[in-house]
Amino acid sequence: MVHNAAGDPPWPRPSPRTLHLLRRGAELALDPPAAWIDELHAASLGGERMRPAAEDPALAEGIRRANVANLRHWAAANIARPGERVPANTGPEPLEAGRDLVRRGLDEGALDAFRAGQNVAWRHWMNVCFGLTSDPDELRALLDVSALSINTFIDDTISALSERMRAEREELTRGTHAERRAAVTLLLEGAPIGRDRAESRLRHPLSGPHTAAIVRGDPGTTPDHLEAAAEAVARAGGADHRLTVIAGATVLWVWLPIATAPPRERLAAELTAHPRVRVAVGRPGRGVDGFRRSHFDAAATQRMLAGAPSRRFARYEDVQLAALFADAAPGVEEFLHDTLGELMTADPALRETALTYIRSLGNTTLTAERSYTHRNTVVRRLNRVDELLPRPLDENPVDVAVALELLRWHSVP
């Protein structure tokens, strides 16, 4: 037996054969099939308790990264030192996920997501073990040490993250940030908080215009980078000040006192210097209702951006049509396939030309001007579009336009 710290039970010392099998299995688990990972994520984000995280792109992505990090942490430790107690994973992925959960108002109970994922991982691990040996005694010993190792690792990791989350919560409940976050939460929930009281906490007027934005950084983005990007959004909208609330380790909620959303061209220009940040902008509104609605619009826009990895920013008006279909994914896929046919997987230039042609009311010369393309090229592309579509473009322009717009924001197989 190997003795641990005081209070911990002795840690078993498996046989050399068991350690050999454990290392071989860990090598397989270090790079698991995509189906394993998908099932792991589905289990972690399933259930009513995890719905707030599953419906928030930033939270859901954080849980997914932590899942993969935990799996690889355990596997790598057993490759290097098979059978030894695996240290808790306090790396950047789980810590960032924990911070985000706290900043969304969730408690340590949300870490049960890791236990749900553990159940899936254990089932796949048993299949690995059965593939390593057919000897009953070897298999029993391998499963025994694996169960102890995995359960202890998850327990230790959750315990360490819970402690960090408690410290994070204590920090967030002090000072002006806590007051701003509490006031914004009440406003968004429609709680009966007086406008004067909310304005006093926020130090931001609520009677005028509001345009909300959500600034989300890629993993590892620093607070300084997020702040710089938020300031770039304010410049693009011509705002001289902004209300900013820290919503997660890599997420800011922003409100600008402007009645018109930042123009696309200015927003694109300002965000050029921030390639690791994605920005979702809501519709402008007025008063407390506009403050709330604009943020919810920005949140809907952020969810659509999550399905379009190549896009770095969007305004609600860009995604409004697609957002209406967001909860009807099977129907959307069927509509896209039936309407676009082979055009779905064709050269993107063909789809852009078709959409520009429809927006130009069937005028090829205007289409060429707007596409910065020779008219003869436009005509050739449109002929090819007709070959790929189930029905000619001129016979079905409305459905094709809707389908092409949806395709911008929906990931369809």
Side-chain angles (χ1 to χ4, degrees), residues 56 86-87 91 121 124-125 182 212 218 221 235 239 264 303 314 330 337 346 378 413:
D56 185 305
V86 177
H124 288 297
W125 175 253
D218 292 340
T221 305
R235 286 196 303 270
R264 292 186 188 87
R303 288 193 292 272
H337 283 289
V378 168

Side-chain angles (χ1 to χ4, degrees), residues 25-34 36-37 68 71-72 75-76 79:
E27 290 170 349
L28 296 173
L30 189 63
D31 187 19
W36 285 25
I37 299 299
V68 175
L71 178 59
R72 290 178 174 162
I79 292 172

Side-chain angles (χ1 to χ4, degrees), residues 25-161:
E27 290 170 349
L28 296 173
L30 189 63
D31 187 19
W36 285 25
I37 299 299
D38 291 342
E39 192 175 347
L40 182 67
H41 295 335
S44 297
L45 293 169
E48 189 63 29
R49 187 170 193 171
M50 291 304 296
R51 178 176 291 184
E55 292 180 347
D56 185 305
L59 282 181
E61 182 59 27
I63 293 292
R64 293 187 188 101
R65 288 197 301 269
N67 281 337
V68 175
N70 284 340
L71 178 59
R72 290 178 174 162
H73 180 95
W74 182 87
N78 275 287
I79 292 172
R81 293 176 297 278
E84 294 185 15
R85 184 168 182 163
V86 177
N89 184 12
T90 55
E93 296 88 355
L95 287 181
E96 186 174 298
R99 284 194 294 267
D100 281 352
L101 290 169
V102 170
R103 289 169 175 175
R104 295 297 202 282
L106 299 174
D107 60 21
E108 292 86 337
L111 295 178
D112 283 344
F114 295 147
R115 297 196 192 280
Q118 173 190 350
N119 294 333
V120 172
W122 173 249
R123 180 159 49 83
H124 288 297
W125 175 253
M126 284 195 297
N127 290 333
V128 170
C129 293
F130 276 92
L132 292 174
T133 178
S134 58
D135 183 283
D137 293 333
E138 290 184 351
L139 185 59
R140 184 181 302 108
L142 177 58
L143 291 175
D144 281 347
V145 71
S146 299
L148 177 63
S149 177
I150 293 173
N151 289 332
T152 304
F153 166 65
I154 292 296
D155 286 345
D156 290 349
T157 296
I158 289 178
S159 178
L161 291 180

Side-chain angles (χ1 to χ4, degrees), residues 131-357:
L132 292 174
T133 178
S134 58
D135 183 283
D137 293 333
E138 290 184 351
L139 185 59
R140 184 181 302 108
L142 177 58
L143 291 175
D144 281 347
V145 71
S146 299
L148 177 63
S149 177
I150 293 173
N151 289 332
T152 304
F153 166 65
I154 292 296
D155 286 345
D156 290 349
T157 296
I158 289 178
S159 178
L161 291 180
S162 294
E163 184 176 343
R164 299 291 183 93
M165 288 175 70
R166 285 191 289 270
E168 183 80 12
R169 185 177 296 106
E170 290 177 5
E171 181 179 339
L172 289 177
T173 53
R174 297 193 299 267
T176 56
H177 169 77
E179 292 183 2
R180 285 201 306 270
R181 178 58 195 265
V184 163
T185 299
L186 291 173
L187 288 170
L188 295 179
E189 291 177 349
I193 179 175
R195 195 184 76 188
D196 291 344
R197 182 184 175 196
E199 288 180 338
S200 175
R201 288 190 179 186
L202 296 175
R203 299 180 183 178
H204 180 85
L206 294 172
S207 57
H210 309 284
T211 297
I214 295 177
V215 178
R216 178 185 175 192
D218 292 340
T221 305
T222 67
D224 288 345
H225 288 152
L226 291 175
E227 281 290 331
E231 189 60 30
V233 175
R235 286 196 303 270
D240 57 3
H241 65 282
R242 56 186 165 90
L243 169 65
T244 304
V245 172
I246 299 173
T250 58
V251 181
L252 297 180
W253 291 347
V254 179
W255 283 265
L256 307 176
I258 56 177
T260 305
R264 292 186 188 87
E265 295 76 11
R266 291 185 62 182
L267 196 56
E270 289 288 353
L271 292 176
T272 300
H274 307 282
R276 299 188 63 196
V277 172
R278 310 179 82 190
V279 175
V281 181
R283 285 177 295 180
R286 297 191 69 85
V288 173
D289 287 342
F291 179 93
R292 183 185 302 117
R293 191 200 69 190
S294 188
H295 173 77
F296 291 146
D297 287 347
T301 305
Q302 184 193 40
R303 288 193 292 272
M304 301 309 297
L305 271 177
S310 64
R311 298 182 180 274
R312 306 308 298 178
F313 73 91
R315 307 188 308 175
Y316 182 74
E317 63 189 71
D318 300 326
V319 306
Q320 187 172 13
L321 176 63
L324 292 174
F325 292 83
D327 295 327
V332 170
E333 293 181 19
E334 183 177 352
F335 172 71
L336 292 176
H337 283 289
D338 290 349
T339 304
L340 298 179
E342 295 180 58
L343 185 60
M344 282 186 61
T345 55
D347 185 343
L350 294 177
R351 295 194 293 273
E352 287 299 320
T353 299
L355 190 55
T356 304
Y357 176 73

